[in-house]
Amino acid sequence: MIELKNVTKIYPGQSVPAVKELTLTIQDGETCVFVGPSGCGKSTILRMINRMIEPTSGTILVDKEDILNKDPDKLRMSIGYVIQQIGLLPHRTVAENVAIVPRLYGWSKEKISKRVDELLELVGLDPEESKFKYPAQLSGGQMQRVGVARAMAADPPIMLMDEPFGAVDPIVRGHLQDEFLRLQKEIKKTVCFVTHDINEAIKMGDTIAIFDIGTLIQHGTPQEILSNP
Ligand code: ADP
Ligand code: ADP
């Protein structure tokens, strides 16, 4: 469970808060979609949850514990983070990219190799065909899939996904959305999913949080949002 309590973020030198007095709870196994125009603070919230940046005020709890009391490295290893510019390491193969976090955990070679195959299959890639390729040899959609596989490698309970399918064309995006929904039914991660596309939010979210310049203006299930526009 992720709980944000009265969280405000004002970047140095800025007068307007990027996030303003945000209180929001995301339950275990829930996909909460953050939606709103560019610059309204969505990415800032994700960066605070995995402690890339600190809130100016307020508290963030993960599983009832203030994240400031957690070891930052352990916290980040329990969180899968997927961004639009997926940032695969260019001189590492697909398999090596996916294995980054399991290596940090010190898993055996056999365990890592088995997990890599399993993950690539999970995200809809043929392991034999893809694992020895380099990122430059992949299409945009394939890179996104590898990014998702990498984020899920050590089975983190939390996934932060910042416009994960934003860089691919609409047809591929539709496939990736469908696959993630199918996957999420089985794996039940706690997911914060950022998009500026309300249709994607309605499709992907158990709940939707709508933001406008740093302020949460609506929060509810897709049905609630649609019936109360
Ligand atoms: P979104 O993800 O909704 O597009 P962001 O969280 O990226 O929004 O940005 C929210 C606001 O904070 C924007 O006005 C943005 O310009 C500002 N901002 C983001 N990152 C920084 C930063 N590192 N320094 C200063 N301002 C920032
Ligand atoms: P997004 O909307 O996907 O978060 P942005 O283009 O807003 O992407 O931000 C990209 C990067 O630039 C982020 O690392 C963010 O922190 C930084 N950034 C965004 N706005 C500002 C700003 N006004 N001043 C300084 N850095 C910023």
Side-chain angles (χ1 to χ4, degrees):
M1 186 162 68
I2 303 168
E3 293 164 275
L4 299 127
K5 294 186 176 170
N6 231 358
V7 171
T8 294
K9 175 66 188 181
I10 304 170
Y11 283 103
Q14 304 280 327
S15 50
V16 183
V19 175
K20 198 175 166 191
E21 287 163 29
L22 171 62
T23 296
L24 179 69
T25 298
I26 301 134
Q27 302 292 344
D28 287 340
E30 173 183 331
T31 300
C32 180
V33 180
F34 300 170
V35 64
S38 184
C40 72
K42 306 181 296 295
S43 310
T44 297
I45 301 166
L46 299 196
R47 290 185 210 123
M48 289 191 287
I49 294 172
N50 76 354
R51 283 190 70 183
M52 284 163 71
I53 57 175
E54 304 283 339
T56 308
S57 59
T59 313
I60 302 174
L61 308 177
V62 169
D63 294 333
K64 304 274 185 197
E65 192 186 351
D66 191 326
I67 58 171
L68 292 178
N69 297 333
K70 291 178 181 261
D71 173 19
D73 292 333
K74 280 203 187 121
L75 175 75
R76 287 188 202 112
M77 281 161 86
S78 74
I79 295 177
Y81 187 53
V82 183
I83 54 171
Q84 185 174 325
Q85 299 83 4
I86 211 73
L88 297 177
L89 300 175
H91 303 296
R92 297 272 185 267
T93 63
V94 165
E96 288 166 339
N97 268 283
V98 173
I100 291 172
V101 175
R103 283 221 176 106
L104 290 174
Y105 275 113
W107 293 10
S108 70
K109 271 204 171 113
E110 294 71 34
K111 188 174 171 191
I112 291 178
S113 158
K114 194 163 156 257
R115 180 69 178 149
V116 165
D117 285 3
E118 183 183 278
L119 282 160
L120 292 174
E121 221 150 82
L122 214 56
V123 297
L125 292 171
D126 178 347
E128 293 314 313
E129 203 176 291
S130 56
K131 67 181 167 187
F132 301 114
K133 285 192 173 160
Y134 288 87
Q137 297 171 288
L138 305 174
S139 71
Q142 288 170 331
M143 279 192 216
Q144 271 338 89
R145 286 168 205 259
V146 174
V148 173
R150 180 176 68 179
M152 297 198 315
D155 204 19
I158 296 173
M159 295 280 285
L160 304 178
M161 307 184 74
D162 196 343
E163 305 248 5
F165 311 140
V168 294
D169 69 64
I171 294 172
V172 176
R173 189 181 313 147
H175 286 307
L176 292 172
Q177 290 168 345
D178 292 342
E179 273 171 41
F180 191 76
L181 284 174
R182 178 181 54 73
L183 206 60
Q184 174 63 353
K185 276 209 183 97
E186 295 167 24
I187 58 180
K188 290 262 173 254
K189 306 273 183 206
T190 307
V191 182
C192 299
F193 188 108
V194 165
T195 181
H196 58 258
D197 175 357
I198 185 72
N199 292 318
E200 186 171 51
I202 290 166
K203 179 171 173 181
M204 304 300 286
D206 297 315
T207 56
I208 297 176
I210 302 181
F211 291 88
D212 189 22
I213 355 179
T215 305
L216 177 63
I217 53 170
Q218 232 189 335
H219 179 224
T221 64
Q223 278 81 0
E224 286 165 351
I225 301 278
L226 285 171
S227 63
N228 187 16

